[in-house]
Amino acid sequence: MHDPTSPHSPPRRIGSWTLIATAVAVAAVSFGYVGGWLAPHRLTPEKLVNQLQDNAGTFAGYRRNHAKGVCVMGYFDSNGGAQPYSVAQVFEPGRTPVVGRFAIPGGNPYAPDSSVPIRSMALRFAQANGQQWRTGMNSMPVFPVATPQAFYAQLQAQQPDPATGKPDPAKVGAFFAAHPETAAFLAWVKTAKPSASFATENYWSLNAFVFVDANGRRQAVRWRMVPEAADAGGHAGKAGDADYLASDLAARLAQGPLRWHLQVTLANPGDPTNDATKTWPDDRRTIDAGTLVLEHTEPQDSGSCRDINYDPLVLPAGIAGSDDPLLPARSAAYADSYLRRTSEEAHLPGTAAAHMPPEKTR
Amino acid sequence: MKTDPNTFTLAARVLHWLMAVLIVAMLFIGVGMVASVSERHEWLLAIHKPLGIAILILAIVRLAVRLRHPPPPLPADLPAIQKLAALASHWLLYFLMLAMPLIGWAMLSAGGYPVMLGTSLRLPPIFPVSPVAFAVLRQLHGGFAMLLFLTFLAHMAAALYHGLIRRDGVLPSMLRGRKTVPALIGYTDPPAAEGTNEVDTERTD
Ligand code: HEM
Ligand code: HEM
C-alpha cells in the first residue's frame, strides 16, 4: 500500500481507515438488507416462484403457473359503456386487437385438463396509442386467499410429499383451518366441476382495480367476461384425451368466433377492494363495456401469447391498480417467472433444463 | 467564474453529487423492488423508470461536460497503478451510468412491454420484441447493477482514502476545490505540509 507522505500520527490513520471501512460496510450491508439477501424472512417473488416449482416441477420455457394453455387471437369491440368511468382508449367506441391465452392453473404443462376445476383467460389489449391493458382472469368468483403471504403458505401446505407424490392431507387441512378466509372459495370448489370447454366459462378479475375518468375521479371496479356460449360443451374431445380443452376450442373456432361480454361492476363506497376472497353484493351497478371476439387459436409453444407476460399491472391511462395486496405480488412474481422462462428460451447458462414428467414419456 | 485547472468545474461538481445521490438511490430502489412482493414493488418501479431516464439525460450532459472540461490532474506522486485504477473506474462509471438506463429501456422494449414513465407518458420502443434479447438484457441489467454498486463502493473508499489518509487535493477538487483541504473536510489541524498538494496553490476566495 502506498505510504502517504503526510506525517499523520498512527492513531489518526487507524481512525481514518476505520472510518473508510465503516462507510463501505454500512453501504454494503444496507444494500444487502434492501436487496433481501440479508433479510431471509422476507417473502420475495423468487421464493413464491421457487415454491411453485417445488409443487409442480420445473419445465424449462414454460410459465411457472398456468403452464398449460393455448393462444387465442381476436379483438374487443367497445360500446362506449365504460367511457364515463375510464379514459382508457380501449373503452372508446371502436375495436382494439387482442392476443389472449386460455390456461389451467398449475405449473405442469402436461397436466390433464380434468386435474383442476379452474380455467383461466388472459388478455392483452393493444391500444392504438401504444398503451396496453393486460389482464389475467380465473373462472371462479373468489380467490382462496387475500394476501401473498397466505398464498405462499397455501403453496407450502400443498407441496407434494416426496414419499407419496401427493400433498399431505394433514398439512392441507391445517392450512385451511388456519385460514377461514378460504371458506367462500372452498364452498365454490365443492360444487365446481372441471368444465369441458374454455368457451362456456365466466372469467373474473378477482382483484379490484380503479377506473379513472376524464376529471380524475376514481371508481373502484372489478370485471368479468361473461360467455355467450352456454351449452355444456358437446364438442369435448373423445374419452382419454387429456387435452380436450384445446381440441374443443379449435373445433368451436372452426365453426365461428367465440364471444364474451365485458361486465364491469362498480363498487359502492366501503366495498372491500383489498380482499379477493370477498365478493361484492349482487346489487352493485354493472355495465356492459363491449364484446370480446376470439377468432383463432395457436399452440402456445409457437403462438404469439408465448412471450407475453400477462402482468395485471400493465395498465393504460384510465385504469389503475387498487390496494389489493395480491396485485403487486402477482406483478412481481410474473416478472420473475417471465425472466426464468425467457432465459431458458435463450439457453442462458445456469437456467433450468427441460424436465419431462412421467406421463409424457409414453 | 474563471475555471481553476485544479478543480472540477461547477457544472461537473453539481452533476457529480446530484447523480451520485440519484444513482445510489436507483441501485437501492432496483434491488429493493425486485425483492419485494408488497406495494413497495409497484411504487418503487413507478419511480425507477422515470428516474432512470432522468439519469440517462444527465449522464449525456455530464459526458459532454467531461469531454469539454478535462478533470484536474491526479496528484503527481500517485502510484501508476492507482492512477490507472482511477482512470479505469471513472470510465467504467460513465459507461455504466449510460448503459444501465439504456438497457432498462431496451429490455422492456424487447419484452414487448409499453415503456410507461407515468400513468400516460410512454416512450417508444428502442429494441425489437424478442424474448431472447429480453432475457439477455434483463440479466445484464441485474449484472451491471451489481458491477455498478461494487464500483461505487471502491470509488467511495478511494475518495475517502484520498481525503482522510493521503489528504491530497483529490477529494476537495470534487467538493469545492478552491478552499484548502482541511477547511473543507472540517479538520482543524493544519494541512499536509508536503508540496504534493496541488489544490492549495490557488486561493481566490
Ligand atoms: C399472489 C398470488 C399469485 C401468484 C404468486 C401467482 C403466480 C402466477 C405465476 C408465476 C404465473 C405465470 C406468469 C408468467 O410466466 O407469465 C401466473 C399466471 C396466471 N395467474 Fe397467477 N398468481 C397469483 C394470483 C392470481 C390471481 C388472484 C389470479 C386471478 C385472477 C391469477 C390468474 C392468473 C392467470 C390467468 C395466469 C395465466 C396467465 C397466462 O395465461 O399467461 N393469479 N400466476
Ligand atoms: C441508472 C439507471 C438504472 C439503475 C442503476 C438501475 C438499477 C436496477 C437494479 C439494481 C435492478 C434490480 C436488478 C436485479 O436485482 O435483477 C433493476 C431492475 C429493473 N429496472 Fe433498472 N436501473 C436503471 C434504469 C432503468 C430504466 C431506465 C428502466 C426502464 C425504463 C429500468 C427498468 C427496470 C426494470 C423493469 C427492472 C426489473 C423489475 C422486475 O423485474 O420486477 N431500469 N434496475
Side-chain angles (χ1 to χ4, degrees):
Chain A
M1 183 50 72
H2 169 83
D3 188 19
T5 44
S6 325
H8 298 306
S9 57
R12 149 89 57 220
R13 295 207 22 214
I14 290 172
S16 300
W17 280 116
T18 312
L19 197 69
I20 297 174
T22 310
V24 171
V26 166
V29 169
S30 0
F31 196 66
Y33 177 76
V34 171
W37 302 284
L38 299 178
H41 297 293
R42 191 185 309 155
L43 180 57
T44 59
E46 189 185 5
K47 276 195 200 169
L48 272 172
V49 177
N50 284 345
Q51 187 62 49
L52 286 164
Q53 289 181 178
D54 289 343
N55 288 24
T58 304
F59 300 91
Y62 288 94
R63 288 166 167 82
R64 269 29 179 187
N65 198 3
H66 296 249
K68 186 181 188 187
V70 290
C71 301
V72 279
M73 267 72 56
Y75 54 87
F76 175 68
D77 269 338
S78 167
N79 57 21
Q83 217 180 358
Y85 301 96
S86 169
V87 293
Q89 197 177 31
V90 63
F91 295 132
E92 291 168 11
R95 184 166 290 191
T96 304
V98 168
V99 174
R101 183 171 178 271
F102 285 112
I104 61 171
N108 181 349
Y110 309 107
D113 290 341
S114 55
S115 59
V116 272
I118 299 168
R119 280 78 179 88
S120 69
M121 172 194 265
L123 302 171
R124 186 195 68 184
F125 302 77
Q127 294 185 168
N129 64 7
Q131 300 177 15
Q132 295 182 0
W133 175 27
R134 301 187 186 184
T135 175
M137 298 163 284
N138 280 350
S139 63
M140 71 233 191
V142 285
F143 201 63
V145 292
T147 65
Q149 284 73 18
F151 187 72
Y152 185 59
Q154 182 186 350
L155 290 176
Q156 284 180 312
Q158 292 171 333
Q159 179 171 345
D161 184 327
T164 61
K166 294 211 164 3
D168 175 349
K171 283 192 185 156
V172 176
F175 169 81
F176 284 112
H179 287 270
E181 76 274 21
T182 54
F185 174 78
L186 291 177
W188 174 83
V189 152
K190 268 212 189 92
T191 63
K193 299 233 159 26
S195 77
S197 177
F198 285 127
T200 53
E201 295 286 284
N202 284 273
Y203 298 94
W204 279 265
S205 72
L206 297 176
N207 303 122
F209 291 80
V210 177
F211 276 7
V212 185
D213 74 10
N215 301 316
R217 215 180 58 89
R218 296 165 67 85
Q219 165 68 55
V221 299
R222 282 173 171 166
W223 55 76
R224 159 155 77 128
M225 284 290 179
V226 180
E228 277 190 2
D231 63 285
H235 305 269
K238 51 188 180 325
D241 179 3
D243 308 324
Y244 56 85
L245 288 170
S247 13
D248 168 81
L249 184 69
R252 284 175 191 257
L253 287 172
Q255 316 278 303
L258 292 167
R259 291 188 169 76
W260 280 260
H261 290 269
L262 173 59
Q263 303 275 3
V264 179
T265 302
L266 311 179
N268 276 5
D271 287 345
T273 52
N274 62 355
D275 190 342
T277 68
K278 294 196 175 79
T279 54
W280 292 340
D282 286 336
D283 65 355
R284 293 298 178 259
R285 185 145 177 245
T286 294
I287 45 182
D288 184 324
T291 310
L292 172 71
V293 182
L294 297 180
E295 300 175 300
H296 306 288
T297 172
E298 286 174 354
Q300 68 165 346
D301 294 354
S302 55
S304 38
C305 73
R306 184 189 66 184
D307 301 321
I308 298 176
N309 168 4
Y310 289 96
D311 175 344
L313 288 178
V314 171
L315 298 167
I319 309 179
S322 68
D323 57 351
D324 187 330
L326 289 179
L327 281 174
R330 291 179 67 188
S331 184
Y334 294 19
D336 189 278
S337 168
Y338 185 65
L339 177 58
R340 291 185 199 207
R341 58 194 179 89
T342 52
S343 296
E344 289 152 2
E345 269 179 67
H347 302 291
L348 295 186
T351 57
H355 154 130
M356 284 286 163
E359 308 95 275
K360 209 57 186 179
T361 46
R362 50 190 158 188
Chain B
M1 198 208 280
K2 248 192 78 222
T3 332
D4 174 347
N6 291 316
T7 74
F8 283 92
T9 60
L10 180 66
R13 279 176 283 142
V14 168
L15 281 166
H16 174 272
W17 290 111
L18 174 65
M19 292 190 71
V21 172
L22 296 184
I23 290 174
V24 173
M26 272 300 271
L27 289 167
F28 278 87
I29 290 171
V31 296
M33 73 190 183
V34 298
S36 167
V37 297
S38 74
E39 69 287 352
R40 257 203 321 270
H41 182 269
E42 268 350 279
W43 63 259
L44 288 176
L45 189 57
I47 301 173
H48 190 85
K49 291 185 280 179
L51 190 55
I53 298 299
I55 290 174
L56 176 62
I57 295 166
L58 289 171
I60 294 168
V61 173
R62 182 166 178 190
L63 194 65
V65 170
R66 170 68 177 69
L67 294 175
R68 279 196 55 182
H69 305 279
L74 286 165
D77 70 330
L78 197 66
I81 180 83
Q82 289 186 32
K83 277 192 178 147
L84 186 69
L87 196 73
S89 63
H90 294 166
W91 283 112
L92 183 60
L93 286 167
Y94 278 111
F95 168 73
L96 290 173
M97 73 180 79
L98 286 163
M100 282 300 297
L102 283 172
I103 292 172
W105 185 356
M107 89 195 178
L108 288 180
S109 311
Y113 297 96
V115 186
M116 305 290 287
L117 294 191
T119 50
S120 48
L121 178 59
R122 185 183 62 88
L123 293 182
I126 54 167
F127 207 90
V129 175
S130 147
V132 170
F134 169 82
V136 172
L137 291 165
R138 176 65 185 80
Q139 304 282 6
L140 268 185
H141 197 70
F144 278 5
M146 295 307 128
L147 182 61
L148 179 53
F149 186 68
L150 292 178
T151 316
F152 154 68
L153 285 185
H155 181 77
M156 178 180 71
L160 291 173
Y161 166 72
H162 281 282
L164 299 177
I165 308 237
R166 276 187 59 96
R167 299 179 147 212
D168 53 21
V170 171
L171 184 56
S173 73
M174 188 53 91
L175 285 169
R176 268 181 67 194
R178 293 187 174 219
K179 294 218 168 155
T180 61
V181 181
L184 269 166
I185 49 180
Y187 274 31
T188 45
D189 42 354
E194 265 75 13
T196 55
N197 197 321
E198 304 191 7
V199 159
D200 294 339
T201 51
E202 196 184 314
R203 296 180 193 186
T204 48
D205 46 15

